[in-house]
Amino acid sequence: MRNTFSFLFSVLLLFAAVFLDVPMTRGQSLAAAVASTPSGGTLVLSPGTYTVTSNISRTTPITITCQGGAIIQSDINFLSLTGGAGGSAISGCDFEPVSTFHVCTVSQITSGACSSYPVIALTRFPGDVIGYEPTSNDGDIWPYLTATQKSNNGLGPHINAFVPNFTFSGNTGKRLYVQVAGASFQAYNNNFVGGPSTFGCLEDSDNSGQQDITGVKIHDNTIIDCQYAGIAVGNTYAADIYNNHIDYNGGPAILTIQSFAQFGNVYFNIHDNEGSYNYQGGLDAQADFPATGTEPTHGIIHHNNFSNNGTTATNAQGIATLGDYIQVTDNVLEHNACGGFSHYGGNYLVFTGNIIFSNYPSGPSGCGINNDVNINAIANSSGNSYGQSPIIAHNQISAAGNYAIDIEPSITNPVLVGNIATGKTIRVLTPTLTESGDFDSNGPMGTFQKNYLMPGEFSNQGWYHLGTIDLNSDLNVTIFFASGHGANVGSNQHGFGIFEARSAGGAGTPNISGATLWNFGSNANTAMQLVATGASTSASNTKWEVWIQAQSGSSCCSFASGDFRVMTGGNSTWTPDPSLTYSSSTPGVTPNTYVNVGIQNFIDASGTIYPAKLNQSQGNAFAGTCSMSGSSSCSFSINFPYANNPIGIASPQGAIYTGGAASCSVSGTTATINVPTANSLVWGCVLVGNPN
């Protein structure tokens, strides 16, 4: 019986050692405790401080849990999980550095006030009292650090888990860095101050050739003051990053690592995160693109709030993307230093339902892009451009950059629908736009079949080439001009103009039946010219170069800054000239190949009219003639009566009259001219309402 009992007791002890919690023994080091915990066992740390000064390596699964008050303290990579340690977990622990950090501002560092401290943390933003460990990326302060400070910029507890199925949850601490390279990494409910890192304080990436790290879920964490990004992923497949609060970091809040050329990140889902006061932006979601063998990106970025990020020195945006099939929807991007959103290249972007508000708090100078929403293409090593078919729809943009939306010329087949832009204009430098229902507060933007925008920054008097219109089978083209951005500066006033050209339908050379330019308000554009492309003299020519003349004289160009928009029919093609080619001389000189168009009328900002000529919409509308025929009075009928007696100006037509002053009066629809001396001259009278 005693032998049987001893055997059962031994089995129970073995069972407990493998499957039950294993507490540390008194005086045991953390390294010894980790080493003595069986494969798959759980090590429980009781309250106390566990200082680790050399790396602990583990190659079999382990779970480490901490009771309240248990602190793991280190300044190095203290724990490495490799080989067969997949399935390991760490929870409920508090991680702290050994070193003491002194928090310094930019001005304190550059003034030398912090030079006596061996270990420092940098705070850049209001409300941050902890700071992050600076690196050479902090170019404004790095030259001012001492050699000791620079060598001490990588201190803090660091965990390597190069295994699959690693879980990190419910942990706290300071200067912590967790680097993972494996599938099914889960990090949640952590709340800590970050430390030195390669890419991010919570990082899952693998640059060894592994593709599609699956099952990555990083959620419900609060991370501040990381040396670089708060969260970073690389070579992941369907990574899910959500409900995280990430502030005050030295890089972006969230980074999809773009330096891993093998595979990049695909099918990521980044949603419901908040990131503020991060030095290098909110979300940097760029794949390494285009790269040989890369799967299309397929990223979803939804319902995040990135605000108050960056400085102009870091060119930081709320969200930056690069890759194919990226959907950016329902995000709030406000008060970011260098714009709300930039797409640096890739096909089939969808950017919808976002709110972009008051970015560029310090003005756009110093930023690399300078637009609130910027859409670019990228070329690969073979010269192929990636920027096809972006959809920009139903976004609300209160703009502070150069343009509310800017789409560069190499983008093909963009679609703009229902965007509302206030503060600055929308600019599209591509001939393949589809546009509908966008509203731009700086000018007319109705529902046009095609709508193109580009700047009219005229620096010299003379002629500027706006672009080329090919009417094809359409009958006309209309160009709307809006000059002057934002508030008036000095005496400069805003202006508005309309240019219209009409095809002659092949009736003769040149194949234009007419062209008209109207200006309203102050405007530096004094004339336009249509020049047949290639100096064509064909009556069937439909292709014309459109030139505009900036005003001459000492006041040249003070009102010319602005935008123009082109409205065409469905068969026309407009090709803008992004460089606004300049000519000091008149472009069209060959007979029958050009049409000059002067201003038809000019109404300035005060309502004063400067007509090129005064014409009536129909005869006797407000002026007419009659013959005295040997009498001292004559009359003619007018088309409309006046409610009050109008002002009448009478004069003889084509002759000199010396018989005294003439008068003109109206009764009903009859205008009568009276003179003191009978004559046989033809007289005219112009009527001006006083009022009506």
Side-chain angles (χ1 to χ4, degrees), residues 514-584:
T516 308
L517 172 63
W518 297 273
N519 274 357
F520 309 91
S522 299
N523 200 300
N525 307 328
T526 58
M528 297 192 69
Q529 188 174 86
L530 295 175
V531 181
T533 301
S536 173
T537 58
S538 170
S540 60
N541 174 63
T542 62
K543 198 169 183 179
W544 298 83
E545 308 303 320
V546 181
W547 294 78
I548 191 166
Q549 185 181 44
Q551 69 180 14
S552 60
S554 60
S555 60
C556 166
C557 320
S558 60
F559 299 101
S561 175
D563 299 274
F564 70 83
R565 307 131 197 274
V566 179
M567 185 177 75
T568 69
N571 300 305
S572 301
T573 300
W574 170 259
T575 305
D577 179 355
S579 62
L580 292 173
T581 302
Y582 171 73
S583 174
S584 59

Side-chain angles (χ1 to χ4, degrees), residues 43-125:
L43 173 63
V44 180
L45 302 185
S46 56
T49 299
Y50 304 87
T51 301
V52 184
T53 58
S54 60
N55 178 260
I56 302 170
S57 180
R58 175 85 181 197
T59 58
T60 59
I62 186 173
T63 296
I64 300 174
T65 64
C66 294
Q67 296 177 346
I71 300 172
I72 299 175
Q73 188 180 59
S74 183
D75 271 348
I76 64 168
N77 172 17
F78 76 92
L79 178 63
S80 296
L81 302 173
T82 60
S88 296
I90 300 175
S91 64
C93 296
D94 182 33
F95 299 91
E96 300 289 338
V98 175
S99 299
T100 300
F101 286 75
H102 294 270
V103 181
C104 301
T105 65
V106 171
S107 62
Q108 287 173 329
I109 293 173
T110 57
S111 69
C114 287
S115 60
S116 62
Y117 302 126
V119 184
I120 67 166
L122 170 63
T123 176
R124 290 187 175 275
F125 298 101

Side-chain angles (χ1 to χ4, degrees), residues 582-594:
Y582 171 73
S583 174
S584 59
S585 59
T586 303
V589 294
T590 306
N592 299 323
T593 65
Y594 67 93

Side-chain angles (χ1 to χ4, degrees), residues 346-481:
N347 302 320
Y348 313 115
L349 167 74
V350 176
F351 186 77
T352 63
N354 300 284
I355 298 175
I356 298 94
F357 178 76
S358 293
N359 294 282
Y360 299 97
S362 302
S365 62
C367 298
I369 300 292
N370 296 340
N371 303 304
D372 289 82
V373 174
N374 198 80
I375 311 299
N376 285 299
I378 190 173
N380 65 5
S381 58
S382 301
N384 297 318
S385 180
Y386 290 82
Q388 180 179 346
S389 304
I391 298 174
I392 317 297
H394 303 294
N395 300 286
Q396 297 184 49
I397 305 167
S398 177
N402 289 342
Y403 296 96
I405 301 174
D406 189 39
I407 299 179
E408 70 165 26
S410 55
I411 297 292
T412 58
N413 302 312
V415 176
L416 266 69
V417 178
N419 299 286
I420 298 176
T422 59
K424 293 296 176 70
T425 59
I426 299 171
R427 182 174 77 161
V428 181
L429 299 177
T430 174
T432 57
L433 173 70
T434 299
E435 188 278 336
S436 177
D438 295 277
F439 172 77
D440 179 347
S441 66
N442 281 303
M445 195 162 183
T447 306
F448 303 148
Q449 282 185 290
K450 296 182 180 179
N451 187 2
Y452 307 90
L453 296 86
M454 60 189 295
E457 306 292 342
F458 301 149
S459 57
N460 298 289
Q461 64 188 47
W463 292 89
Y464 290 84
H465 183 235
L466 300 186
T468 304
I469 182 67
D470 189 346
L471 288 174
N472 291 314
S473 59
D474 291 332
L475 297 179
N476 60 63
V477 58
T478 302
I479 301 178
F480 296 90
F481 297 92

